[in-house]
Amino acid sequence: MRLLHTSDWHLGRAFHRVNMLGAQAEFIGHLVTTVREHAVDAVVVSGDVYDRAVPPLAAVELFDDALHRLADLGVPTVMISGNHDSARRLGVGAGLIDRAGIHLRTDPAAAGTPVVLSDAHGDVAFYGLPYLEPALVKDEFAVDKAGHEAVLGAAMDRVRADLATRARGTRSVVLAHAFVTGGRASDSERDITVGGVAAVPAGVFDGVDYVALGHLHGCQTITARVRYSGSPLAYSFSEADHRKSMWLVDLAADGTVTAERLDCPVPRPLARIRGTLEDLLADPALACHADAWVEATLTDPVRPADPMARLTERFPHTLSLVFAPERAPDDPRVSYARRLAGRSDQQVAQDFVAHVRGAGPDDRELDVLSEAFDAVRADDAVREVAR
């Protein structure tokens, strides 16, 4: 069976000030063409269809168009909700849409109930594991402590239990939206850290033939059977070096996996340039970035006058301007934002405790901080869906 694995469409998302809906529509057209030209048997979409729980109308219309075009191909599609989606909203009408061959899997309770498709070699069971917010699903999966590994492990136990009841030789595909150990993050993914831990080991998914992951925006291979497709478009300058693509996966009769990367359309290249303003304006090696979306980091010791206006004369599509004077890390003039770069909310809180008290939090206090951040995240998720 030939699968096309994609994820993280983030319909409705902008890139800095640029509306990306046109580029997203171009990607949908490319997806449909790819399905047709490569004789794809099934499409899997591993979450973050939308960029937020209540997407703009234009994004909903584009998603509706995508569903109609995929259904018209007669090629089954399996989708799950991601941490940016409202699972309940995305799942509205799932039973009816199911009849058109579009299978929306947004209910954690149905993790062990697959979509079963067949080819000349027998059945393939597709298990949809939507994004599992630990604090909200721990009771469903009867885990003692809310954590990504615990809830995903419990969901996979249901998958393996169901698979054990099926005919010998049944192949299996799991769709999941998670941060798996070994994956490389970018700046455009929403933090899903719970209890100080974001990543789960790839071994959680043992026992199935292929795991189609979503959440991380870079296309990457964790193991031969566990892969991220990445987002089809760049959503931050941290993705400037990404090659945006989808996985074309062939699942052989014995469950053997072979995969090929298929490139996605690039609306405009990204470029990150760094130096003093005068150097950036004069360096002939930077001429190749004239048509790119540009993030310029200025290292001038003093902010120059009108830097954005001067930069856009040479780089008309400059979208981001960063000031980073080259100073020693302990220089008091180093910005607060730079000192916090790369640190999680909980790490910032721990540093604050150490700063005001002279010593960091003890184990009991760390647990309290973890529980507080987890509770806030769960409450935010509930409030966003209820809007």
Side-chain angles (χ1 to χ4, degrees), residues 3 24 45 52 60 103 108 272 281 296 309 362 374 386:
L3 317 176
Q24 291 170 339
V45 186
R52 58 181 187 263
V60 177
H103 308 283
R272 303 179 98 172
L281 295 177
D362 59 27
D374 294 348

Side-chain angles (χ1 to χ4, degrees), residues 1 7 22 26 31 39 49 52 57 67 77 96 109 142 152 163 220 250 274 276 289 307 309-310 316-317 323 340 369:
M1 183 171 287
S7 72
E26 183 180 359
L31 172 72
V49 173
R52 58 181 187 263
L57 178 59
L67 294 186
T77 300
L96 184 61
L152 266 173
L163 193 56
Q220 47 201 295
D250 284 307
R274 182 184 182 93
T276 65
H289 301 313
R310 295 173 67 189
H317 306 288
F323 293 97
L340 296 184
L369 282 172

Side-chain angles (χ1 to χ4, degrees), residues 204-251:
V204 164
F205 299 104
D206 285 351
V208 296
D209 294 309
Y210 184 70
V211 182
L213 292 173
H215 179 57
L216 299 184
H217 288 184
C219 181
Q220 47 201 295
T221 299
I222 305 300
T223 73
R225 296 181 181 274
V226 181
R227 299 171 185 263
Y228 283 99
S229 66
S231 60
L233 296 166
Y235 292 114
S236 72
F237 277 102
S238 66
E239 300 167 57
D241 294 331
H242 286 190
R243 173 188 164 197
K244 294 302 183 181
S245 54
M246 301 177 285
W247 285 113
L248 186 67
V249 178
D250 284 307
L251 192 60

Side-chain angles (χ1 to χ4, degrees), residues 10 15 57 71 113 158 165 172 200 260 343 351 354 356 367 380:
H10 288 279
F15 182 74
L57 178 59
T113 304
R158 294 188 184 183
T165 68
S172 53
V200 300
E260 175 189 358
R343 303 185 70 75
D351 290 347
V356 299
D367 288 341
D380 285 347

Side-chain angles (χ1 to χ4, degrees), residues 31-72:
L31 172 72
V32 171
T33 299
T34 300
V35 171
R36 185 188 308 112
E37 292 183 349
H38 288 267
V40 169
D41 298 307
V43 177
V44 295
V45 186
S46 299
D48 282 353
V49 173
Y50 291 122
D51 189 55
R52 58 181 187 263
V54 186
L57 178 59
V60 177
E61 291 174 338
L62 180 55
F63 180 57
D64 180 65
D65 177 64
L67 294 186
H68 277 86
R69 295 173 73 179
L70 288 168
D72 287 345

